[in-house]
Amino acid sequence: MKRREVLTFVAVLLASAILAVLATLSLRQWEVSAERRLHEQARDMASMIAEKIETAVLKTEEEGLGSLRLTALDPHFTPEMVDAWKARTPFFDRVYLFDRHGKLFYPRRSNSSDAAMLAGLRAEISPGFWDRGGQRHIQLGDQVALVAVIQGSPQGPLLAVLHRSEQGLRRDILEKTLAGLEGQSLLAVLDGSDRPIYTARPLGRAQHVLTVDFGEALPAWRLALYEPAGLSPRDAVRRQAMLFTAVFILLLGVIAFGLAATYRLVRRESEMARLKSDFVANVSHDLKTPLALIRMFAETLEMDRVPDEVSRREYYGVITRESERLTRLIDNVLDFSRIEGGRQRYDMAPGHIEPIVHEVLEAFRYPLAQQGFKVDVHVEPDLPEVRLDPEAMKQALANLVDNAIKYSGEGRRLDVTARREGKDVCIAVSDDGIGIPTREQQRIFEKFYRIGRSETQGRRGSGVGLALVKHIVEAHGGRVTVESGPGAGSRFTLHVPLPGDV
Ligand code: ADP
C-alpha cells in the first residue's frame, strides 16, 4: 500500500479514537447532569404533593372548626352538642373546650394527664390571643393540635383544642390526595421516627429516592418518594448510558468494518492495477516473439538462403504456426475485451463435440510432435449433440491444450477425453505437468491472474486464458473444474449440459 493510503487509515483510526474519548467524557458529564435533573424533577413533584396534603389538612381543619364555631353560637350550647359535632367530624379524635379561667367545658370529665396538658397550654396562651380570637397549631408532646378561640358562645370565649385522629388523616386526606397521583413512583408519609404512616402500595424492594418536609400543619412528618427497583433516576440514567455505549460501540464497529472493507478494496485495486500492467507487458512480449520468428524466417526465405526443400517447407511451417499462435493470442485478447465490455455474443446451435476436439488437436499437432508429447485422445462414440458455439468451444479447448503444453514440465503427456457423464458431456484435458497448488485452483480463473512468478517464469501467457474458458463454458450453461496438485499434473474438465438441462 502507498504511504498516502496508510496515512489516511491512520488518520481515520486517530479520528475514531478521539471520537471515542470525547464520547466517553461527554457521556460521563451527561450522566451526572441527567441524574441531577431527574432528582430535581422528583423533588419538585414530592414538594408539590406535600403542599397539596398540607392544604387539604388545613382546609379540613378549617371546616371542622367552622362548624364547631356555629354550634357554639347556639344559645343553649351544651357538651352534648359537642358530642354530636364530634360524631359528625371524625377527623378530630380529641376535643377540649375551656374558658379563660381554665374551667373545662368539654369533656365534662378529664383525667389527670389531660389536666396537666391543659394547664401547660393555658400558660402558653397570651391574653392577646384570647382577645383577638386567635388560631394556631401547637405541639402537644409528639402530636400537633389546632388551638383556636371561639367567641360568642353563651359561656363566653372558649379555647378549643382540636386533636386530629391519625385514622381520619389517613382516610380523609392521604388516601384522597395520594390516590391516582403516583404513577410509577411510590409515596410514603413518614412520622417523626421515619415509620411509614401511609403508603398507597406496599414498598417492597422499592428504592428510596428523596424525602421532603411538610409545613407547620404536619411539622414532624415527612413525605418520602420511592421508585420501584430498576426505575430510580440512577438506574434510568445508567440504562441510557449503557444504550449509548452500545450504540457507540456499534458505530465504532461499523467504522472498523468500513476501514477493513476499504483496505481490502484498495489492496484488490492495487493488485488489479499490477496484474493489468503485467498483462500489457506479457501480451506485448507474446506478440513480439512470434512476429520476430515470422520475420526472421520470411527474410531468410526472401533472400533465398534456404539450403534445401525440406528446410524451406519447415520454414513455411514455422511461419504458419507462429501466425496461428498470433491469431489465437489476438482472438483471446479481443474476446476478453468484448466480454469485459459486455459485447460478447455466442451463436448457439446443436452440434457435436468430436469434430471440435479433432480440429483443435490438429492445430496443435506440430508443437505437440516437436516437443515429443505423447498424445492420447479418446472420444466416446455416439456422444449426443449439445447446444454450442463451435468457434467459442474451440477457443476454450485450445486454451486448455495450450496451457497443458506450456505447463507440461518434464512429463510430456496430453490426454484429451470426451464422454457423457450424467446430464453433461465432459471434455477433459489432462497433463503430467507442474500442477497447481489447491489454494490457487480458484484464483487461476480470475482475469489476469497467473501463479507465482517463479513457476510461470519463462512461460509466455497473458493470464486471461482460463478466465475466457470459464466465461465461454458458463455461457453454454456449463462449468469448468480442475483437479490438480503440485508436480502431479492437472486435469481441466469442461462440463457442457445436454439440451433440455440448461
Ligand atoms: P496464462 O496466459 O498465464 O497461461 P491462464 O489464464 O491460461 O493464463 O492460466 C492462469 C494460470 O494458471 C497460469 O499462469 C498457470 O500458472 C496456471 N495454469 C493453467 N493451466 C495450467 C496447467 N495445465 N498446469 C499448471 N498450471 C496451469
Side-chain angles (χ1 to χ4, degrees):
M1 252 204 312
K2 292 193 202 94
R3 235 174 89 90
R4 246 188 36 213
E5 282 150 11
V6 174
L7 279 177
T8 315
F9 278 120
V10 172
V12 175
L13 275 179
L14 211 68
S16 311
I18 293 173
L19 200 67
V21 172
L22 283 180
T24 315
L25 287 179
S26 54
L27 196 65
R28 287 276 156 279
Q29 269 198 349
W30 174 85
E31 265 186 287
V32 173
S33 65
E35 198 180 330
R36 193 177 303 142
R37 205 183 54 243
L38 283 176
H39 227 267
E40 274 165 14
Q41 279 172 2
R43 180 170 295 282
D44 285 352
M45 183 178 92
S47 304
M48 195 194 76
I49 295 169
E51 221 175 282
K52 217 169 156 182
I53 291 174
E54 171 104 10
T55 316
V57 169
L58 292 175
K59 189 167 162 251
T60 314
E61 279 183 347
E62 205 54 56
E63 282 168 7
L65 187 63
S67 71
L68 183 61
R69 276 201 170 103
L70 274 180
T71 313
L73 285 180
D74 193 311
H76 309 290
F77 182 47
T78 57
E80 285 72 27
M81 290 167 86
V82 180
D83 279 333
W85 171 86
K86 238 184 110 187
R88 282 199 314 273
T89 322
F91 184 68
F92 299 105
D93 62 353
R94 274 183 284 155
V95 178
Y96 305 92
L97 289 170
F98 54 91
D99 67 11
R100 208 162 177 161
H101 310 292
K103 186 165 167 285
L104 198 62
F105 175 75
Y106 185 92
R108 268 152 299 180
R109 269 188 299 280
S110 71
N111 56 33
S112 57
S113 72
D114 281 352
M117 181 269 287
L118 294 176
L121 188 66
R122 262 185 60 215
E124 269 192 53
I125 303 297
S126 65
F129 190 82
W130 280 101
D131 299 338
R132 270 198 324 275
Q135 170 179 332
R136 61 187 254 225
H137 284 103
I138 282 192
Q139 190 78 32
L140 286 182
D142 59 347
Q143 314 267 352
V144 176
L146 173 68
V147 179
V149 177
I150 297 178
Q151 313 270 29
S153 84
Q155 281 76 20
L158 287 175
L159 191 73
V161 180
L162 305 178
H163 186 277
R164 48 195 178 222
S165 88
E166 210 174 284
Q167 216 185 8
L169 250 180
R170 197 174 296 144
R171 190 187 51 233
D172 296 347
I173 309 287
L174 301 180
E175 271 174 21
K176 280 188 193 149
T177 319
L178 294 184
L181 246 186
E182 294 176 279
Q184 293 269 30
S185 320
L186 290 158
L187 289 163
V189 177
L190 310 177
D191 69 4
S193 46
D194 278 349
R195 194 170 49 90
I197 305 260
Y198 174 83
T199 55
R201 279 179 283 151
L203 290 177
R205 284 178 38 241
Q207 289 171 346
H208 175 255
V209 179
L210 52 85
T211 313
V212 292
D213 291 334
F214 290 105
E216 71 150 271
L218 295 160
W221 288 7
R222 282 169 317 141
L223 181 70
L225 184 99
Y226 293 79
E227 292 288 356
L231 284 179
S232 70
R234 170 156 303 156
D235 289 332
V237 168
R238 204 167 286 160
R239 247 196 323 276
Q240 288 239 26
M242 261 162 64
L243 188 76
F244 283 164
T245 315
V247 169
F248 191 71
I249 288 173
L250 195 78
L251 191 78
L252 283 185
V254 170
I255 292 179
F257 177 78
L259 270 184
T262 318
Y263 175 76
R264 272 183 60 138
L265 202 74
V266 168
R267 263 189 47 172
R268 268 190 87 92
E269 283 296 312
S270 60
E271 189 183 312
M272 194 46 83
R274 184 180 61 74
L275 288 176
K276 271 186 187 162
S277 82
D278 284 0
F279 168 74
V280 172
N282 288 334
V283 170
S284 320
H285 181 261
D286 272 15
L287 285 172
K288 259 199 209 146
T289 322
L291 271 179
L293 279 174
I294 291 170
R295 188 168 168 181
M296 189 179 84
F297 283 96
E299 279 174 3
T300 316
L301 284 167
E302 198 180 23
M303 285 187 269
D304 233 354
R305 291 223 197 115
V306 192
D308 52 53
E309 187 57 26
V310 178
S311 308
R312 182 187 297 274
R313 285 179 155 282
E314 195 184 316
Y315 288 6
Y316 281 133
V318 169
I319 292 173
T320 316
R321 278 191 323 274
E322 290 305 316
S323 20
E324 274 170 9
R325 187 202 285 280
L326 265 182
T327 312
R328 261 204 312 276
L329 176 70
I330 291 168
D331 279 351
N332 263 358
V333 173
L334 287 181
D335 282 357
F336 175 73
S337 102
R338 269 199 286 273
I339 287 172
E340 284 288 280
R343 285 174 279 114
Q344 180 67 315
R345 295 266 170 278
Y346 296 101
D347 294 327
M348 299 289 189
H352 281 289
I353 291 288
E354 186 163 7
I356 291 172
V357 172
H358 289 305
E359 229 172 281
V360 170
L361 283 171
E362 182 57 28
F364 282 96
R365 194 168 54 85
Y366 184 82
L368 284 168
Q370 198 201 25
Q371 292 178 42
F373 267 84
K374 182 177 173 308
V375 183
D376 236 335
V377 185
H378 179 75
V379 180
E380 222 173 57
D382 304 327
L383 266 185
E385 279 189 331
V386 287
R387 274 181 62 75
L388 49 75
D389 176 334
E391 287 313 311
M393 198 47 87
K394 267 187 239 170
Q395 193 183 9
L397 195 57
N399 277 334
L400 292 184
V401 174
D402 194 27
N403 279 351
I405 299 173
K406 272 198 296 191
Y407 306 110
S408 62
E410 295 305 310
R412 299 190 179 271
R413 181 183 70 85
L414 175 71
D415 215 350
V416 182
T417 62
R419 62 175 195 286
R420 186 175 168 162
E421 217 172 76
K423 292 175 174 173
D424 293 340
V425 169
C426 295
I427 311 147
V429 177
S430 325
D431 61 57
D432 274 350
I434 58 174
I436 304 158
T438 319
R439 70 190 138 80
E440 303 277 15
Q441 287 177 8
Q442 281 312 307
R443 297 213 65 191
I444 52 173
F445 294 101
E446 290 172 16
K447 59 185 176 187
F448 308 132
Y449 190 78
R450 308 192 72 211
I451 297 178
R453 309 275 165 119
S454 65
E455 283 172 64
T456 40
Q457 235 170 27
R459 295 179 174 90
R460 295 180 301 168
S462 56
V464 297
L466 286 179
L468 262 177
V469 172
K470 184 166 183 283
H471 191 273
I472 291 170
V473 73
E474 283 176 359
H476 283 74
R479 65 204 162 89
V480 52
T481 55
V482 59
E483 301 146 67
S484 184
S490 316
R491 177 205 296 272
F492 284 86
T493 311
L494 303 177
H495 303 256
V496 185
L498 289 168
D501 291 318
V502 185

